[in-house]
Amino acid sequence: MTRRFDAIIIGAGQAGPSLAGRLAAAGQNVAIIERHLVGGTCVNTGCMPTKTLVASAYAAHLARRGADYGVNTGPIAIDMARVHARTSAVAAGARGRNEKWLSEMERCTLIYGHARFENARIMRVGEELLEADRIFINVGGRASIPDMPGARDVPLLTNSSILKMTTVPEHLVVIGGSYIGLEFGQAFARLGARVTIVEKGPRLVSREDAPVSAAIRAMLEAEGLAIRTDAECIRFHAREDGGIDVGLHCSDDPDTVAASHVLMAVGRAPNTDDLGLEAAGVETDARGYIVVDERLETSVPGIWALGDCNGRGAFTHTSYNDFEIVAENLLDGADRKVADRIACYALFTDPPLARVGLSAGQARAAGRTVQIGHRAMTRVGRAVEKDETTGFMEIVVDADSDAILGATILGTGGDEAIHAVLDMMANGATADRLRRTVHIHPTVAELLPTIAGELS
């Protein structure tokens, strides 16, 4: 017997449940299949537990700085078991709410199991066959483990397994000096671990302009993290005491770092290799990401791919936007496209790095003539009042049209303040329009109009 539905959604991550809700509310019978945990990466091993961990680390950092604010706190002790319990409770609460919502949703059937394509319209989940004219793939991604020498012979942590730790590592070595690695590195350093960041390239967060990379490195080194860049041949060797020696160079140079734990944070891989996509004729690229058009439809009509698995965004907010694009195009007669959204993201170190649109380097590389508005956080009143003056604010403007091309904020509150620029860009406002906008004092965002009036 084959069970018939109007739509099948594979994966209950960020886009899946919301899409199920829209389709079910429109009168369609929907099956949503989840093989592990409802909520996907964000709820279970990504945004929610990691930002909860970061918050605990920030509390420890601020407590140590109590005397700077005239507050005597005494010795600081970390109860990592309680930190772990808190992160787990936040994730479990969100997961439970999602499960309850889906299980109680009319015209929606939540099915647990591993889904595989039998053909372009039929999915197999265990012994059961499910059929629908519309199938939506929302299977997310996982930590990538590259084939580095010795990597298969030592117990490496990933962004998922490190969240299970109930003790503070003695010496955490983070492989990968990018977004995930730096967030965990700073957090565990503040929780009491000795931390070394190992990066194969010449600088951290290489996607960013060089001044941003340098500022982030200086910020982390000031907190005691060791940074090792240009590690061209990373390799691992298990020690008899249970630790791991991390080699950094291709030669026989004995330059190694002795770790108690190693976190592998060098990228993500899509969960597409065991879906039977070939049986449906769904095309993937060389890295396994599902190829989609601007409306997120795959190479097979009637099959869409949303979220991390389509290679068109690696964030919770882009996954949710994928849902909005597909739902409004199918149900509301819209014509929304991936190209309509403005790139935006944040690195949630403390202070955070927030980015929207083009950086100065990217704009110049694209052949644009630009003007730059720049201000150090030492000249932002709210940052001075909080005694958190690391970083800077910068906006990038097209010199010919006065269009705002992008912005970077590395500084306290930057992950929130950046939205003032994002909203201006989304509405086609010019830098002069931003300059003439009145913001609330005292805030970080209040300086954005001032910066827009100081372009050079």
Side-chain angles (χ1 to χ4, degrees):
M1 293 289 292
T2 301
R3 296 174 67 183
R4 173 76 186 177
F5 294 90
D6 296 310
I8 295 171
I9 301 170
I10 311 167
Q14 185 64 28
S18 296
L19 181 59
R22 278 296 319 265
L23 294 174
Q28 298 187 27
N29 291 314
V30 181
I32 183 165
I33 307 165
E34 175 54 56
R35 66 169 152 183
H36 188 35
L37 298 175
V38 168
T41 297
C42 177
V43 166
N44 296 291
T45 60
C47 313
M48 300 197 73
T50 59
K51 277 46 178 181
T52 304
L53 177 74
V54 166
S56 291
Y58 177 73
H61 176 69
L62 198 59
R64 292 190 187 97
R65 291 194 61 206
D68 295 342
Y69 301 91
V71 179
N72 296 321
T73 56
I76 301 303
I78 303 298
D79 186 341
M80 194 62 197
R82 290 187 65 183
V83 172
H84 170 261
R86 181 170 173 268
T87 61
S88 297
V90 168
R95 182 170 61 250
R97 290 187 292 272
N98 272 277
E99 289 173 333
K100 186 175 187 293
W101 178 39
L102 288 172
S103 62
E104 295 179 355
M105 188 183 296
E106 293 185 11
R107 292 181 292 276
C108 178
T109 302
L110 175 59
I111 300 170
Y112 287 96
H114 177 193
R116 290 183 61 90
F117 281 92
E118 292 281 299
N119 58 47
R121 295 293 176 263
I122 297 178
M123 305 297 306
R124 176 178 292 278
V125 183
E127 299 301 317
E128 188 173 25
L129 296 178
L130 313 177
E131 181 179 8
D133 290 332
R134 290 174 173 171
I135 298 176
F136 305 90
I137 307 170
N138 177 224
V139 294
R142 62 187 184 275
S144 177
I145 307 295
D147 190 21
M148 294 176 177
R152 307 296 173 182
D153 304 323
V154 295
L156 298 176
L157 295 167
T158 67
N159 68 292
S160 299
S161 59
I162 197 171
L163 291 169
K164 299 176 183 178
M165 295 195 68
T166 56
T167 58
V168 177
E170 179 184 347
H171 183 192
L172 176 66
V173 173
V174 179
I175 309 301
S178 196
Y179 306 94
I180 293 174
L182 297 187
E183 287 182 26
F184 276 115
Q186 186 189 47
F188 274 94
R190 289 180 167 188
L191 291 170
R194 185 157 62 99
V195 174
T196 299
I197 306 292
V198 175
E199 167 56 41
K200 188 174 183 179
R203 58 187 178 90
L204 301 180
V205 284
S206 58
R207 176 178 177 178
E208 308 300 336
D209 287 356
V212 174
S213 296
I216 291 173
R217 178 169 185 158
M219 173 184 83
L220 295 175
E221 288 181 329
E223 290 195 26
L225 283 78
I227 310 294
R228 302 295 301 271
T229 50
D230 294 305
E232 74 277 13
C233 284
I234 301 169
R235 60 193 186 279
F236 308 96
H237 177 72
R239 297 198 309 271
E240 291 184 1
D241 64 1
I244 302 169
D245 284 333
V246 182
L248 306 182
H249 301 296
C250 298
S251 66
D252 293 330
D253 187 329
D255 186 12
T256 61
V257 179
S260 63
H261 299 77
V262 175
L263 169 64
M264 185 64 75
V266 295
R268 306 280 290 173
N271 293 325
T272 57
D273 51 329
D274 58 358
L275 298 178
L277 294 175
E278 63 282 353
V282 174
E283 181 184 353
T284 60
D285 67 14
R287 296 184 298 162
Y289 289 97
I290 298 173
V291 177
V292 295
D293 63 17
E294 284 295 318
R295 292 160 186 83
L296 300 170
E297 194 164 17
T298 71
S299 56
V300 179
I303 301 179
W304 290 259
L306 302 83
D308 294 1
C309 69
N310 64 24
R312 301 299 295 270
F315 306 103
T316 296
H317 54 274
T318 53
S319 295
Y320 190 82
N321 183 240
D322 284 358
F323 142 68
E324 294 177 313
I325 291 170
V326 170
E328 292 184 29
N329 287 349
L330 289 177
L331 301 175
D332 302 333
D335 186 25
R336 296 187 62 173
K337 300 181 290 294
V338 176
D340 295 336
R341 65 188 176 211
I342 299 170
C344 56
Y345 58 89
L347 162 65
F348 291 96
T349 50
D350 173 46
L353 167 70
R355 289 265 285 103
V356 60
L358 300 177
S359 69
Q362 290 169 335
R364 292 185 179 112
R368 310 293 284 266
T369 302
V370 298
Q371 291 184 301
I372 306 297
H374 184 98
R375 175 167 288 235
M377 296 301 290
T378 54
R379 298 177 59 216
V380 177
R382 186 63 183 274
V384 173
E385 292 149 11
K386 296 175 68 177
D387 196 14
E388 297 180 353
T389 56
T390 296
F392 60 88
M393 307 169 70
E394 184 172 279
I395 63 171
V396 182
V397 177
D398 187 286
D400 299 319
S401 66
D402 201 41
I404 303 171
L405 301 178
T408 299
I409 304 178
L410 173 63
T412 182
D415 50 340
E416 296 289 349
I418 198 75
H419 291 90
V421 181
L422 173 58
D423 292 343
M424 283 279 180
M425 294 175 64
N427 286 281
T430 62
D432 188 61
R433 179 64 177 172
L434 174 58
R435 179 185 64 80
R436 292 184 287 112
T437 301
V438 178
H439 284 190
I440 297 169
H441 173 81
T443 63
V444 173
E446 73 167 312
L447 270 300
L448 290 169
T450 302
I451 296 170
E454 298 176 344
L455 301 177
S456 62

